[in-house]
Amino acid sequence: NAGVMQNPRHLVRRRGQEARLRCSPMKGHSHVYWYRQLPEEGLKFMVYLQKENIIDESGMPKERFSAEFPKEGPSILRIQQVVRGDSAAYFCASSPVGRRQGETQYFGPGTRLLVL
Amino acid sequence: QKEVEQNSGPLSVPEGAIASLNCTYSDRGSQSFFWYRQYSGKSPELIMFIYSNGDKEDGRFTAQLNKASQYVSLLIRDSQPSDSATYLCALGGNKLIFGAGTRLAVHP
């Protein structure tokens, strides 16, 4: 049973470029979460999605960041016009059910974004 | 604003000893609590979750929850050098709220 898949594992972008991070949830899981971990800091929630719906985007920066989870295909976290401060590890997690308290989330290997 | 507090460490323990990792939280309404382990450069790995007051044991790991004191802890018995990692406490719900993590170093 494959776990949460993320690609690419490492991504290098120059300032002003776009970064696209992909996440495929575990089989049977329909809820996806994105978290960011800045260097030497803790994990911070960004966004929670179900298929074709954004449920909670309270952790997303107001500008340049967007996320989607289409009916077909992986979830995408998109960062436009990247800046050096976007350099971080971006983790995706999935769960089978999102609304129930305590539903366990399983993490993917992460994408390490480096902005030059 | 829900908050989770952890001592950043490092917590250094000798091999074979019990490591005790602690976490306090601000939201009295929190119902579920998770412990994740994160090795350097890797993703968080679920160790345990706990919902009810008291102790929950799984192998060498014991999670303890005291909702009245808003306190959750993780005990690791017979610590091994391979347990050296950062341990993250998280409040559950639609999104996980993480503490900053405690670095554990188990020395031979």
Side-chain angles (χ1 to χ4, degrees), chain B residues 35-99:
Chain B
W35 282 100
Y36 285 83
R37 176 175 63 195
Q38 188 176 27
Y39 292 109
S40 181
K42 302 296 185 181
S43 63
E45 172 192 6
L46 179 68
I47 298 176
M48 290 188 70
F49 58 86
I50 186 167
Y51 305 149
S52 303
N53 274 329
D55 295 359
K56 179 181 178 182
E57 187 174 318
D58 184 0
R60 296 187 297 115
F61 299 97
T62 299
Q64 299 175 318
L65 175 60
N66 184 326
K67 290 185 179 181
S69 301
Q70 295 174 238
Y71 176 95
V72 58
S73 64
L74 180 70
L75 302 178
I76 306 174
R77 289 181 299 282
D78 188 23
S79 295
Q80 301 296 310
S82 59
D83 294 326
S84 299
T86 296
Y87 289 80
L88 305 171
C89 172
L91 305 185
N94 281 349
K95 58 192 178 189
L96 293 172
I97 307 296
F98 284 92

Side-chain angles (χ1 to χ4, degrees), chain A residues 7-55:
Chain A
N7 67 81
R9 297 287 297 275
H10 299 273
L11 183 61
V12 179
R13 285 288 179 265
R14 297 193 179 278
R15 283 178 295 169
Q17 291 184 319
E18 179 179 288
R20 283 186 180 233
L21 289 61
R22 296 174 185 78
C23 169
S24 296
M26 286 179 69
K27 187 176 181 180
H29 287 192
S30 57
H31 299 255
V32 165
Y33 313 79
W34 286 93
Y35 295 83
R36 178 167 66 175
Q37 189 170 37
L38 294 167
E40 304 303 321
E41 293 191 16
L43 281 153
K44 301 295 184 186
F45 167 80
M46 299 182 75
V47 62
Y48 160 36
L49 310 104
Q50 297 178 28
K51 287 283 187 182
E52 299 185 283
N53 284 304
I54 296 175
I55 307 303

